[in-house]
Amino acid sequence: MNVSADDVREVAVRARAAAALLAPLPRAAKDAALIAMADALVARTPDILVANAADVTAARAAGTAAGLVDRLTLTPGRVAAIAAGLRQVASLPDPVGEVLRGGVRPNGMELRQIRVPLGVVGIVYEARPNVTVDAAGLCLKSGNAVLLRGSGSAYRSNTALIGVLRDAAASAGLPADAVQLVPGTDHESVKHLISLRGLVDVVIPRGGAGLIRTVVEESAVPVIETGVGNCHVYVDAAADLGMAVAITVNSKVQRPSVCNAAETLLVHRDVADAFLPRALAALAAAGVTVHGDDQVRAAAGAGAGAGFAPAVVPVTDEDWAAEYYSLDIAAGVVDSLDAAVAHIRRWGTGHTEAIITGSLPAARRFISTCDSAAIMVNASTRFTDGERFGFGAEIGISTQKLHARGPMGLPELTSTTWVGIGDGQLVE
């Protein structure tokens, strides 16, 4: 469906007006709306599923991969879980109005830095209807109006979901235009959205590398870059090898299609002979294809006679750079911790890196030299997640270096304002 720039601008203008009404609302009003939205999703599940079934049928007819169809599909249980997520967001502390720092100046003026909403947030994402509700709930709780631009393959589902959310918000006394669907299903509607500097305060892309790169490179609106995850597990010379095997497998296998899954395994040369046979056997048992350098392939060849691992395919530069989203992992042997860090800084995306080590100095050096949003010591890369961090929910995982980095919860959907309160002070 093609739309004009004016069509998209119109929804942004309405969102701007709604944002001004949302900003001063107390927590109770926002929480009541979130609960009403959750209740409405459950009550209107049959209507939502009808719309979703049409999207799923079209996706299958178009030959969409089974994994993507599964992400698109809603069931009564999934809708109930999405509604439960809204209730969880309602239970979280409201970041708006939080005092970050302040005090009384020598002249008697009180100075405070407080959290305030960003304003109008645009979310551009792929075929995951749950993101529609999650993003709407998080933006509303943090006092922001949200413009939602999901993929065309989920357009019917998103239209139904947003219709339910808008009706519920209005019934709770909030402006319906706090939650809006960006019209259109072609790339032009995204271009129109990301050109609206001054009406839209920030755009957050969620999805694959191509989507994120397009938004970052073409947007006139400030962008919070999220999600691309070429994550590494480094097994240090001082590692507990049993722990290292378990963490490597969990980081890769527990859910391979997400951004915090491990894509590269780096092993210190001093433990390679002892570690690689065990790791390759465990990865093979889990169905993982290893793309290895010469040393990794030699280890696989040495153990092939014992039947512990299949042949390892040769690694390429494309593999070192890959975010596979599949049961594949690149693997190599390095001479030192510093060599591992150099590899990560060359090929990584700044998402999540893990070190397995019993050495505190090694862990500290890894932390101080890896330039990534999250670093795990003796733990799986899969822990980089807003819910697992205790945030309750997340809008995405930022890999940039501006105000938000790592999993983004409610505080990351705010900016700050400085407030000075005086009693007649003048600058001399």
Side-chain angles (χ1 to χ4, degrees), residues 95-313:
V96 177
E98 177 188 358
V99 178
L100 300 181
R101 53 180 168 164
V104 179
R105 300 298 298 154
N107 65 359
M109 186 173 74
E110 180 182 338
L111 192 64
R112 292 176 294 165
Q113 184 186 26
I114 64 171
R115 291 195 184 277
V116 295
L118 290 169
V120 177
V121 179
I123 313 287
V124 181
Y125 55 104
E126 294 176 339
R128 297 178 63 180
N130 62 297
V131 173
T132 301
V133 180
D134 292 347
L138 288 166
C139 287
L140 189 151
K141 176 80 176 200
S142 52
N144 299 294
V146 62
L147 296 174
L148 296 156
R149 175 50 170 85
S151 66
S153 60
Y155 195 79
R156 301 176 189 87
S157 303
N158 290 336
T159 299
L161 288 166
I162 291 170
V164 172
L165 299 179
R166 285 171 56 84
D167 290 348
S171 72
L174 269 63
D177 287 338
V179 181
Q180 293 187 77
L181 179 70
V182 176
T185 57
D186 64 352
H187 182 61
E188 290 303 308
S189 69
V190 175
K191 287 188 173 183
H192 298 327
L193 173 66
I194 63 179
S195 72
L196 294 175
R197 189 178 186 91
L199 285 175
V200 179
D201 293 287
V202 66
V203 173
I204 303 173
R206 290 190 56 174
L211 168 67
I212 294 170
R213 183 171 57 252
T214 296
V215 173
V216 169
E217 292 177 354
E218 298 184 11
S219 182
V221 176
V223 176
I224 298 177
E225 188 171 351
T226 69
V228 177
N230 183 0
C231 303
H232 299 72
V233 173
Y234 165 60
V235 180
D236 186 50
D240 177 312
L241 299 188
M243 178 192 295
V245 170
I247 289 174
T248 298
V249 173
N250 182 262
S251 295
K252 176 71 265 183
V253 172
Q254 197 271 336
R255 193 176 175 194
S257 63
V258 292
C259 62
N260 57 16
E263 308 293 14
T264 298
L265 168 65
L266 300 173
V267 182
H268 194 291
R269 185 174 302 282
D270 290 354
V271 294
D273 289 344
F275 173 74
L276 283 172
R278 297 171 63 178
L280 293 174
L283 290 167
V288 178
T289 297
V290 177
H291 304 249
D293 67 5
D294 290 344
Q295 294 95 322
V296 174
R297 294 178 68 205
F308 76 75
V312 174
V313 301

Side-chain angles (χ1 to χ4, degrees), residues 24-52:
L25 288 180
R27 172 179 177 174
K30 294 184 287 188
D31 289 350
L34 289 168
I35 297 300
M37 290 158 67
D39 292 344
L41 286 171
V42 173
R44 294 174 61 179
T45 295
D47 297 335
I48 294 167
L49 295 183
V50 168
N52 180 249

Side-chain angles (χ1 to χ4, degrees), residues 6 10 27 65 114 127 183 221 231 281 283 305 326 337 339 369 372-373 408 411:
D6 287 342
E10 180 183 343
R27 172 179 177 174
I114 64 171
V221 176
C231 303
L283 290 167
S326 63
L337 183 152
T369 54
S372 294
M408 295 173 57

Side-chain angles (χ1 to χ4, degrees), residues 405-422:
R405 199 176 192 203
M408 295 173 57
L410 289 169
E412 286 72 33
L413 287 171
T414 63
S415 182
T416 64
T417 289
W418 284 95
V419 178
I421 301 175

